[in-house]
Amino acid sequence: MRQLSIRSLNSRALASGIASRLAASGRTAPGAAAAIARVGAQCNIGTVTPLLAAKDQAACSAALLGRVRCYSTESAPAAEKHEFKAETKKLLHIVAHSLYSQREVFVRELISNSSDALEKLRHLQATSQDVSADKPLEINITVDADNKTITFYDSGIGMTAEELKENLGTIARSGSKAYIEKMENSTDTKDMANTIVGQFGVGFYSAFMVGDKITVYTRSAAPGSEGYCWESDGLGSYTLAKSEDAQVGTKIVISVKEDAKEFLDKDKLEEIIKKYSNFVGFPITVNGEKVNTVDALWTKDKNSITDEEHTNFYRFVSHAWDEPMYHLVYKADGPLSIRSILYTPTKNPEAMGFDRVKPGVSLYSRKVLIMPNAEGLLPEWLRFVQGVVDSEDLPLNLSRELLQNGPVIMRLKSIITSRIIKWLQEESRKDPAKYKEFFQTFGVFIKEGVCQDTANQSEIAKLLRFETSEKDAGELVSLSEYVEAMPEDQEHIYYLCTSNRQFGLESPYYEPFKKHGTNVLFLHHTLDEFVMGRLSNYEGKRLVSIESKDVDQVLKKWNESDQAKSTDDAASALTEEQINELTSWMLTALGMPVKEVKVSERYMSYPAIVTDFESPAVRRMMKMMAGDSKQQIPMSPCNMEINVHDPVIKGLYSLKSRDADMAQKVAKQLLDNAFIAADIMDEPRTMIKRLNEILAHAVSK
């Protein structure tokens, strides 16, 4: 049923006319006049007829239609038909069917247009220009499922006949864009221009994605303006006629297609509005109920925002129920206009077994959502950050949905990323204990950033925190704090990748550093080895693993110093000839993957270790890539270093002459023990049989 506004008619006179018309036809409409009077001057057939008795609804509707026609259209000229300027049916089809990836964005586009119109009217009022405006500045949406229509009404600036032809009669011509250009020629209205949302004239035509006919009623706010009715089915032409019923502002009536009935659901429409247009600066109602109830906090002064407001807003944008650990309100006017509000959560969903989370920051332009969970706005490692970034300088594609990967977007990404890193650095200095809690929850993202974000790597590295051999368990330090505490003669930053602190303290690789009082970073996370490899140095200091050959020089220096001070009987060690004989025999007995057996130049209490071996993290990754494959990953060649002062090594030298078979088993066990200490032993259970044989031999003596 067509929905007709009767605001311009006297409701009592209209009720009397309906009653007279029905009486003349011999029919009655009990309560018709009272029903119309109750709904007042805003009424329409869709709201009046349900108030009547069922037997009188059809009669009342017919009478009202006839009355309105007699009142408002009999003397009006016939509608004029116009062809769209410079556009074709193909282009209209593209707009309605191909331009947008989701049909629901028609709601966003029409609300944005309404917001533009209201902002224009507010500007004219603010500059004391003569306009007809006696209604609240708001956007009213009416869903009529029975008549299959959705109506958008704004009490904004409206349009004249020429503006209708120009703004609705030409695809890709934007009334808002032209208005901005006109305003910017003035010296005192540029700020007002920045509040206009629309930048392209195709948003209105997105309504054809869900409607097979669009009717627009509009009247310009300029005094004495006439009302008009614009109508089109989107097939290349439109009609334009005067309308006495049109109110100041613009009303768009969409006749909904059969395949778009889901948009006639009031709850669904409200959900779409909250998703895209919740922060538009004017009230939005759906069937009389206000929908946009959350303020755009990023536009407010940061000192005026309460903790409760931060919590509520964080929960709104993140769809979470925890509280934000940190919050940042960041604004900038150059080189880009940026208004943003950002949060870090309390909990990490990925650590709780959930899939990789989507980016948490949504992109807005003048408080209208452009891209939820905007990929590409921030580096992947910052996906845990929640919030909103709003920029007026965004170069949008025609449909407002896809970002153009141009210099403006890249600059925006760089600015926001740098500010987030600086923000976290500030928080770490302000409250180290709280930052420790943050890092324990989100440190994996920081480490991911060091590996991936080469442009910001050195600054991200300042956010890293690790345990050290000198501090108590659980106490974390930054790389800067480690460097500050280094002795003057220490050249490198030393670290050890170990599954836990106890293993690190008992590691044969840590022993010489412990003896000489050198602080070592203990790294417990799987990513840590990759982090150190990608970072390589910090503040001019190399990052060196104490398991690598890069420590050979300092170990040799320490060993020589220790030997010079030692009072131990050198005769207790094997002779040079015995050493050469043993190392040669061991190399043959062990075979692959040992490529060299030599005397260790480091202090250690263990009989043997391996050096120059492949990264444990890389080996684990190779195993993961192999998946369920039964094929074993061969051990890469490595060196074996022996402690010629150790009783096991001296005993092995004697055993090889007495029992070569058992000596070989002992040598292989020493190698497996070294593999375990280096964390590169794939399957320790393979050595159990051999180990039991060695034990049996030992106890039988």
Side-chain angles (χ1 to χ4, degrees):
M1 183 180 297
R2 183 180 179 190
Q3 189 179 66
L4 298 176
S5 171
I6 58 173
R7 169 176 276 277
S8 61
L9 306 181
N10 183 285
S11 59
R12 296 184 183 275
L14 180 58
S16 176
I18 293 174
S20 299
R21 205 173 182 85
L22 293 174
S25 65
R27 294 173 293 182
T28 60
I36 295 175
R38 280 200 301 275
V39 297
Q42 296 276 8
C43 69
N44 54 60
I45 293 176
T47 54
V48 173
T49 53
L51 300 176
L52 308 179
K55 67 191 180 84
D56 297 313
Q57 289 183 7
C60 180
S61 297
L64 184 54
L65 281 170
R67 178 62 174 159
V68 173
R69 279 197 293 268
C70 292
Y71 192 97
S72 61
T73 63
E74 284 183 353
S75 60
E80 300 174 357
K81 185 175 181 179
H82 300 266
E83 295 295 323
F84 288 109
K85 294 181 181 180
E87 279 78 46
T88 65
K89 294 180 181 180
K90 181 178 179 181
L91 184 54
L92 282 168
H93 181 82
I94 291 174
V95 172
H97 298 89
S98 304
L99 188 62
Y100 297 86
S101 60
Q102 295 179 321
R103 293 200 295 180
E104 65 183 23
V105 298
F106 84 93
V107 178
R108 177 191 70 187
E109 294 300 311
L110 296 184
I111 289 177
S112 295
N113 290 347
S114 294
S115 177
D116 292 350
L118 292 166
E119 193 63 56
K120 293 172 186 177
L121 181 61
R122 182 159 63 182
H123 166 65
L124 293 178
Q125 292 173 331
T127 54
S128 302
Q129 298 189 39
D130 189 12
V131 291
S132 299
D134 58 353
K135 301 176 186 176
L137 300 181
E138 59 185 18
I139 302 168
N140 304 126
I141 302 172
T142 304
V143 181
D144 189 343
D146 293 335
N147 294 313
K148 300 178 184 177
T149 61
I150 305 174
T151 302
F152 291 74
Y153 171 72
D154 68 75
S155 54
I157 196 169
M159 288 178 281
T160 64
E162 286 304 313
E163 289 170 335
L164 274 170
K165 294 176 184 178
E166 289 296 316
N167 296 334
L168 302 189
T170 304
I171 298 287
R173 175 178 174 83
S174 170
S176 296
K177 187 176 181 181
Y179 191 77
I180 292 176
E181 292 172 352
K182 179 180 177 181
M183 291 174 63
E184 287 184 337
N185 290 330
S186 174
T187 58
D188 60 348
T189 57
K190 289 186 177 181
D191 291 339
M192 293 296 295
N194 288 335
T195 64
I196 305 299
V197 175
Q199 294 193 33
F200 299 97
V202 298
F204 166 77
Y205 288 93
S206 64
F208 281 111
M209 293 189 295
V210 299
D212 50 24
K213 183 180 70 173
I214 300 176
T215 306
V216 179
Y217 300 93
T218 185
R219 185 186 296 271
S220 172
S225 296
E226 295 183 296
Y228 291 92
C229 175
W230 182 100
E231 191 168 83
S232 175
D233 58 7
L235 298 178
S237 65
Y238 63 92
T239 61
L240 182 62
K242 292 184 179 180
S243 173
E244 296 296 330
D245 303 328
Q247 307 170 52
V248 172
T250 301
K251 180 172 71 174
I252 300 171
V253 182
I254 303 172
S255 298
V256 178
K257 298 176 181 178
E258 284 295 320
D259 65 350
K261 288 182 179 179
E262 69 267 25
F263 297 106
L264 293 171
D265 184 331
K266 174 177 174 289
D267 293 337
K268 180 176 179 62
L269 202 64
E270 290 180 350
E271 181 182 340
I272 296 170
I273 293 169
K274 289 178 180 179
K275 177 180 178 181
Y276 290 104
S277 306
N278 193 77
F279 305 112
V280 167
F282 300 96
I284 303 172
T285 65
V286 176
N287 289 6
E289 297 180 4
K290 187 176 179 181
V291 178
N292 55 333
T293 57
V294 181
D295 292 334
L297 285 194
W298 65 90
T299 63
K300 299 176 67 174
D301 179 80
K302 65 180 181 180
N303 296 321
S304 68
I305 305 174
T306 66
D307 289 341
E308 182 180 2
E309 286 178 315
H310 273 303
T311 298
N312 292 336
F313 189 82
Y314 160 75
R315 289 174 176 173
F316 177 84
V317 298
S318 66
H319 308 290
W321 288 102
D322 60 337
E323 294 187 359
M325 184 175 293
Y326 296 131
H327 63 260
L328 171 70
V329 179
Y330 172 60
K331 299 180 181 180
D333 294 314
L336 296 178
S337 173
I338 300 172
R339 302 290 182 269
S340 64
I341 186 165
L342 303 169
Y343 299 95
T344 64
T346 302
K347 298 179 180 179
N348 173 13
E350 291 185 11
M352 295 186 286
F354 292 95
D355 293 336
R356 190 178 184 87
V357 297
K358 295 181 179 179
V361 177
S362 295
L363 184 62
Y364 284 71
S365 178
R366 302 172 181 86
K367 297 189 286 188
V368 175
L369 179 65
I370 302 303
M371 183 181 291
N373 308 110
E375 295 184 5
L377 177 60
L378 292 177
E380 181 71 12
W381 67 274
L382 284 174
R383 61 189 179 277
F384 68 93
V385 177
Q386 302 287 330
V388 166
V389 172
D390 191 322
S391 177
E392 301 168 355
D393 299 312
L394 292 176
L396 308 178
N397 79 332
L398 208 58
S399 67
R400 302 188 187 213
E401 292 186 272
L402 300 176
L403 293 173
Q404 295 175 354
N405 190 23
V408 175
I409 293 302
M410 298 305 294
R411 182 60 176 155
L412 179 63
K413 178 179 180 179
S414 175
I415 292 172
I416 297 296
T417 301
S418 296
R419 187 62 187 91
I420 291 175
I421 295 171
K422 181 180 178 182
W423 164 40
L424 294 177
Q425 290 174 351
E426 292 168 350
E427 296 291 353
S428 71
R429 292 190 292 268
K430 187 188 305 180
D431 189 342
K434 185 177 180 180
Y435 182 78
K436 172 188 173 183
E437 181 182 349
F438 165 82
F439 187 80
Q440 288 174 332
T441 304
F442 297 100
V444 63
F445 295 96
I446 306 299
K447 294 171 183 179
E448 187 179 323
V450 172
C451 293
Q452 295 179 353
D453 193 348
T454 55
N456 297 293
Q457 188 182 73
S458 60
E459 291 300 313
I460 300 172
K462 296 178 182 179
L463 300 172
L464 293 170
R465 296 293 185 272
F466 301 106
E467 283 193 9
T468 69
S469 57
E470 288 186 352
K471 299 289 184 179
D472 293 335
E475 189 172 348
L476 305 181
V477 302
S478 67
L479 292 177
S480 295
E481 290 172 325
Y482 178 96
V483 171
E484 288 174 4
M486 284 172 53
E488 291 185 3
D489 61 345
Q490 183 176 330
E491 297 182 8
H492 308 311
I493 299 173
Y494 297 112
Y495 68 89
L496 173 64
C497 294
T498 176
S499 56
N500 62 61
R501 181 180 183 84
Q502 191 60 37
F503 288 169
L505 292 173
E506 295 177 357
S507 169
Y509 301 97
Y510 171 62
E511 281 188 322
F513 292 86
K514 178 181 180 180
K515 181 179 181 181
H516 289 272
T518 301
N519 197 17
V520 175
L521 298 173
F522 285 160
L523 316 183
H524 305 315
H525 196 276
T526 306
L527 278 179
D528 288 340
E529 190 168 349
F530 294 104
V531 170
M532 294 296 154
R534 294 301 298 270
L535 191 57
S536 82
N537 69 81
Y538 183 83
E539 294 184 358
K541 303 289 185 179
R542 283 187 62 204
L543 294 160
V544 174
S545 170
I546 62 174
E547 296 175 318
S548 70
K549 61 181 180 181
D550 294 329
V551 297
D552 287 352
Q553 186 174 356
V554 69
L555 292 177
K556 183 178 181 180
K557 176 182 176 182
W558 287 343
N559 191 47
E560 291 174 351
S561 176
D562 291 342
Q563 287 181 352
K565 300 176 183 178
S566 176
T567 58
D568 294 343
D569 184 6
S572 63
L574 296 175
T575 65
E576 188 72 22
E577 182 179 351
Q578 291 173 328
I579 290 173
N580 292 336
E581 181 184 345
L582 178 61
T583 55
S584 177
W585 175 84
M586 290 183 68
L587 184 62
T588 303
L590 295 173
M592 289 296 291
V594 178
K595 58 183 180 181
E596 182 181 7
V597 178
K598 62 180 181 179
V599 176
S600 179
E601 293 184 334
R602 70 174 70 208
Y603 168 82
M604 63 178 178
S605 60
Y606 286 69
I609 61 170
V610 289
T611 60
D612 197 19
F613 51 88
E614 68 180 340
S615 159
V618 171
R619 186 163 183 83
R620 283 191 290 270
M621 182 173 291
M622 291 171 61
K623 290 178 64 178
M624 289 176 59
M625 293 174 64
D628 296 331
S629 174
K630 303 299 181 181
Q631 183 178 2
Q632 289 188 343
I633 301 174
M635 189 75 71
S636 297
C638 60
N639 297 330
M640 187 175 188
E641 295 186 7
I642 60 174
N643 178 7
V644 294
H645 296 275
D646 189 88
V648 176
I649 296 298
K650 290 188 288 186
L652 178 61
Y653 174 78
S654 301
L655 182 62
K656 71 179 180 61
S657 301
R658 302 193 314 270
D659 190 341
D661 181 62
M662 181 54 62
Q664 186 176 33
K665 291 177 181 179
V666 172
K668 289 185 175 181
Q669 188 60 48
L670 286 173
L671 179 61
D672 281 351
N673 291 350
F675 284 157
I676 292 174
D679 196 23
I680 56 174
M681 184 73 172
D682 292 335
E683 183 50 83
R685 287 175 294 186
T686 59
M687 68 180 187
I688 292 178
K689 181 180 179 182
R690 181 204 314 129
L691 183 58
N692 287 333
E693 290 174 353
I694 295 173
L695 291 174
H697 182 270
V699 298
S700 65
K701 297 297 183 180

